[in-house]
Protein backbone atom coordinates (compact mmCIF):
# COMPACT_ATOMS: atom_id res chain seq x y z
CA UNK A 1 0.00 0.00 0.00
CA UNK A 2 1.46 3.34 -0.98
CA UNK A 3 0.57 6.64 0.56
CA UNK A 4 0.66 9.90 -1.34
CA UNK A 5 3.69 12.02 -0.72
CA UNK A 6 3.58 15.65 0.28
CA UNK A 7 4.93 16.63 -3.13
CA UNK A 8 2.18 14.72 -4.98
CA UNK A 9 -0.53 16.27 -2.81
CA UNK A 10 0.86 19.77 -3.27
CA UNK A 11 1.00 19.37 -7.03
CA UNK A 12 -2.71 18.42 -7.18
CA UNK A 13 -3.85 21.47 -5.23
CA UNK A 14 -4.77 24.53 -7.26
CA UNK A 15 -2.54 27.54 -6.96
CA UNK A 16 -3.87 30.31 -4.72
CA UNK A 17 -4.37 32.60 -7.70
CA UNK A 18 -6.39 29.97 -9.54
CA UNK A 19 -8.51 29.42 -6.42
CA UNK A 20 -9.09 33.16 -6.12
CA UNK A 21 -10.08 33.38 -9.78
CA UNK A 22 -12.41 30.43 -9.41
CA UNK A 23 -14.01 32.05 -6.37
CA UNK A 24 -14.32 35.35 -8.22
CA UNK A 25 -15.95 33.65 -11.19
CA UNK A 26 -18.32 31.80 -8.87
CA UNK A 27 -19.29 35.02 -7.11
CA UNK A 28 -19.84 36.89 -10.36
CA UNK A 29 -21.95 34.03 -11.73
CA UNK A 30 -24.02 33.97 -8.53
CA UNK A 31 -24.55 37.73 -8.67
CA UNK A 32 -25.54 37.58 -12.32
CA UNK A 33 -27.96 34.73 -11.60
CA UNK A 34 -29.51 36.70 -8.76
CA UNK A 35 -29.95 39.78 -10.92
CA UNK A 36 -31.45 37.78 -13.75
CA UNK A 37 -33.80 35.89 -11.45
CA UNK A 38 -35.39 39.12 -10.24
CA UNK A 39 -35.25 40.99 -13.54
CA UNK A 40 -38.66 39.87 -14.79
CA UNK A 41 -40.44 40.44 -11.47
CA UNK A 42 -39.43 44.00 -10.65
CA UNK A 43 -42.05 46.64 -11.22
CA UNK A 44 -41.03 50.04 -12.43
CA UNK A 45 -40.73 52.22 -9.36
CA UNK A 46 -38.57 55.30 -8.88
CA UNK A 47 -38.19 54.32 -5.21
CA UNK A 48 -36.52 51.07 -6.28
CA UNK A 49 -34.08 53.05 -8.45
CA UNK A 50 -33.37 55.24 -5.43
CA UNK A 51 -32.66 52.15 -3.31
CA UNK A 52 -30.33 50.81 -6.00
CA UNK A 53 -28.50 54.15 -6.02
CA UNK A 54 -28.07 53.92 -2.25
CA UNK A 55 -26.75 50.36 -2.53
CA UNK A 56 -24.40 51.51 -5.29
CA UNK A 57 -23.05 54.27 -3.03
CA UNK A 58 -22.38 51.73 -0.28
CA UNK A 59 -20.68 49.33 -2.69
CA UNK A 60 -18.56 52.21 -3.95
CA UNK A 61 -17.47 53.06 -0.41
CA UNK A 62 -16.43 49.45 0.17
CA UNK A 63 -14.48 49.51 -3.11
CA UNK A 64 -12.66 52.65 -1.98
CA UNK A 65 -11.75 51.03 1.36
CA UNK A 66 -10.32 47.96 -0.39
CA UNK A 67 -8.36 50.17 -2.80
CA UNK A 68 -6.89 52.24 0.03
CA UNK A 69 -6.02 49.12 1.99
CA UNK A 70 -4.40 47.45 -1.04
CA UNK A 71 -2.29 50.53 -1.76
CA UNK A 72 -1.12 50.73 1.84
CA UNK A 73 -0.29 47.05 1.92
CA UNK A 74 1.62 47.20 -1.37
CA UNK A 75 3.54 50.29 -0.21
CA UNK A 76 4.36 48.53 3.05
CA UNK A 77 5.73 45.50 1.23
CA UNK A 78 2.91 43.14 2.20
CA UNK A 79 2.37 41.90 -1.35
CA UNK A 80 0.24 38.86 -0.49
CA UNK A 81 -2.23 40.96 1.49
CA UNK A 82 -2.28 43.60 -1.28
CA UNK A 83 -3.15 40.91 -3.81
CA UNK A 84 -6.06 39.75 -1.66
CA UNK A 85 -7.28 43.31 -1.18
CA UNK A 86 -7.16 43.95 -4.92
CA UNK A 87 -9.17 40.76 -5.49
CA UNK A 88 -11.72 41.95 -2.92
CA UNK A 89 -11.87 45.29 -4.71
CA UNK A 90 -12.46 43.45 -7.97
CA UNK A 91 -15.41 41.62 -6.41
CA UNK A 92 -16.79 45.01 -5.37
CA UNK A 93 -16.36 46.33 -8.92
CA UNK A 94 -18.39 43.35 -10.14
CA UNK A 95 -21.05 44.13 -7.53
CA UNK A 96 -21.12 47.72 -8.73
CA UNK A 97 -21.58 46.52 -12.28
CA UNK A 98 -24.59 44.48 -11.16
CA UNK A 99 -25.97 47.57 -9.40
CA UNK A 100 -25.74 49.51 -12.65
CA UNK A 101 -27.39 46.69 -14.63
CA UNK A 102 -30.31 46.77 -12.19
CA UNK A 103 -30.46 50.57 -12.29
CA UNK A 104 -30.59 50.64 -16.10
CA UNK A 105 -33.42 48.10 -16.02
CA UNK A 106 -35.39 50.06 -13.44
CA UNK A 107 -34.88 53.31 -15.34
CA UNK A 108 -36.07 51.71 -18.56
CA UNK A 109 -39.11 50.32 -16.79
CA UNK A 110 -39.83 53.77 -15.37
CA UNK A 111 -39.50 55.28 -18.84
CA UNK A 112 -41.89 52.68 -20.26
CA UNK A 113 -44.47 53.33 -17.54
CA UNK A 114 -44.14 57.11 -17.51
CA UNK A 115 -42.87 57.23 -13.91
CA UNK A 116 -40.63 60.29 -14.06
CA UNK A 117 -40.63 64.06 -13.63
CA UNK A 118 -38.26 64.76 -16.52
CA UNK A 119 -38.02 62.18 -19.30
CA UNK A 120 -34.83 63.63 -20.79
CA UNK A 121 -33.11 63.53 -17.38
CA UNK A 122 -34.14 59.90 -16.87
CA UNK A 123 -32.83 59.00 -20.33
CA UNK A 124 -29.54 60.73 -19.48
CA UNK A 125 -29.43 58.86 -16.17
CA UNK A 126 -29.95 55.59 -18.00
CA UNK A 127 -27.13 56.40 -20.42
CA UNK A 128 -24.77 57.41 -17.61
CA UNK A 129 -25.66 54.25 -15.68
CA UNK A 130 -24.68 52.21 -18.74
CA UNK A 131 -21.42 54.15 -19.07
CA UNK A 132 -20.63 53.73 -15.37
CA UNK A 133 -21.38 50.02 -15.67
CA UNK A 134 -18.93 49.81 -18.57
CA UNK A 135 -16.40 51.69 -16.44
CA UNK A 136 -16.72 49.11 -13.68
CA UNK A 137 -15.78 46.42 -16.18
CA UNK A 138 -12.57 48.32 -16.95
CA UNK A 139 -11.96 48.74 -13.22
CA UNK A 140 -12.43 45.02 -12.75
CA UNK A 141 -9.78 44.30 -15.39
CA UNK A 142 -7.40 46.82 -13.81
CA UNK A 143 -7.93 45.26 -10.39
CA UNK A 144 -7.35 41.78 -11.73
CA UNK A 145 -4.02 42.93 -13.16
CA UNK A 146 -3.10 44.62 -9.89
CA UNK A 147 -3.97 41.44 -8.00
CA UNK A 148 -1.26 39.78 -10.04
CA UNK A 149 1.24 42.66 -9.87
CA UNK A 150 0.25 44.97 -6.99
CA UNK A 151 3.27 47.25 -7.27
CA UNK A 152 3.06 47.85 -11.04
CA UNK A 153 3.12 51.60 -11.77
CA UNK A 154 1.57 50.95 -15.19
CA UNK A 155 -1.46 49.17 -13.74
CA UNK A 156 -1.77 51.76 -10.96
CA UNK A 157 -1.89 54.51 -13.59
CA UNK A 158 -4.51 52.65 -15.63
CA UNK A 159 -6.61 52.23 -12.51
CA UNK A 160 -6.36 55.93 -11.69
CA UNK A 161 -7.39 56.95 -15.22
CA UNK A 162 -10.33 54.55 -15.19
CA UNK A 163 -11.36 55.78 -11.73
CA UNK A 164 -11.41 59.38 -13.01
CA UNK A 165 -13.65 58.38 -15.91
CA UNK A 166 -15.88 56.34 -13.58
CA UNK A 167 -16.20 59.25 -11.14
CA UNK A 168 -17.16 61.64 -13.95
CA UNK A 169 -19.90 59.30 -15.17
CA UNK A 170 -21.04 58.66 -11.61
CA UNK A 171 -21.36 62.39 -10.90
CA UNK A 172 -23.35 62.88 -14.11
CA UNK A 173 -25.55 59.93 -13.16
CA UNK A 174 -26.23 61.39 -9.70
CA UNK A 175 -27.18 64.75 -11.24
CA UNK A 176 -29.47 63.22 -13.86
CA UNK A 177 -31.15 60.96 -11.28
CA UNK A 178 -31.85 63.94 -9.03
CA UNK A 179 -33.52 65.70 -11.96
CA UNK A 180 -35.50 62.69 -13.18
Amino acid sequence: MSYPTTASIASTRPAPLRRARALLMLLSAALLAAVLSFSGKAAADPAVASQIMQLMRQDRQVLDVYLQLARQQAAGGNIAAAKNSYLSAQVQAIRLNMDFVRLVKENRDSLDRGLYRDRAALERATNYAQLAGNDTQFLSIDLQMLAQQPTSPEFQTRLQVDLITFNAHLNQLELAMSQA
Side-chain angles (χ1 to χ4, degrees), residues 5 22 39 58 63 68 73 79 113 115 123 125 160 175-176:
T5 64
S39 65
Q58 292 170 354
L63 173 69
Q68 182 180 6
Q73 290 166 333
I79 303 303
R113 294 177 185 234
L115 300 174
E123 288 172 344
Q160 286 306 112
L175 178 63

Side-chain angles (χ1 to χ4, degrees), residues 19-137:
R19 279 194 306 234
R21 284 184 186 157
L23 176 63
L24 183 60
M25 291 178 74
L26 178 66
L27 287 173
S28 62
L31 284 171
L32 181 59
V35 167
L36 292 176
S37 69
F38 293 110
S39 65
K41 300 175 184 165
D45 185 356
V48 173
S50 178
Q51 291 170 351
I52 294 169
M53 288 293 294
Q54 183 60 36
L55 178 63
M56 180 267 313
R57 287 183 197 102
Q58 292 170 354
D59 287 341
R60 171 59 198 273
Q61 289 174 344
V62 174
L63 173 69
D64 289 340
V65 168
Y66 282 127
L67 287 175
Q68 182 180 6
L69 183 61
R71 288 180 186 129
Q72 290 172 349
Q73 290 166 333
N78 193 347
I79 303 303
K83 288 179 177 186
N84 287 334
S85 294
Y86 279 124
L87 284 174
S88 296
Q90 184 183 15
V91 170
Q92 282 305 119
I94 292 168
R95 286 187 66 166
L96 274 168
N97 183 271
M98 293 299 137
D99 294 341
F100 289 118
V101 167
R102 288 180 53 217
L103 182 61
V104 166
K105 187 203 174 309
E106 282 300 322
N107 284 351
R108 286 184 178 153
D109 286 346
S110 292
L111 283 167
D112 291 344
R113 294 177 185 234
L115 300 174
Y116 50 81
R117 290 183 309 235
D118 182 343
R119 181 178 180 87
L122 189 56
E123 288 172 344
R124 281 193 315 275
T126 302
N127 290 335
Y128 282 117
Q130 287 176 314
L131 290 171
N134 292 341
D135 294 339
T136 60
Q137 292 174 354

Side-chain angles (χ1 to χ4, degrees), residues 116-176:
Y116 50 81
R117 290 183 309 235
D118 182 343
R119 181 178 180 87
L122 189 56
E123 288 172 344
R124 281 193 315 275
T126 302
N127 290 335
Y128 282 117
Q130 287 176 314
L131 290 171
N134 292 341
D135 294 339
T136 60
Q137 292 174 354
F138 288 115
L139 293 174
S140 180
I141 292 168
D142 295 338
L143 293 165
Q144 181 180 14
M145 299 307 292
L146 282 165
Q148 295 172 11
Q149 299 177 24
T151 58
S152 169
E154 176 187 350
F155 296 139
Q156 285 289 344
T157 301
R158 284 185 190 176
L159 177 64
Q160 286 306 112
V161 169
D162 288 339
L163 279 170
I164 290 169
T165 304
F166 174 69
N167 287 333
H169 291 148
L170 196 55
N171 289 337
Q172 292 297 324
L173 169 62
E174 294 269 358
L175 178 63

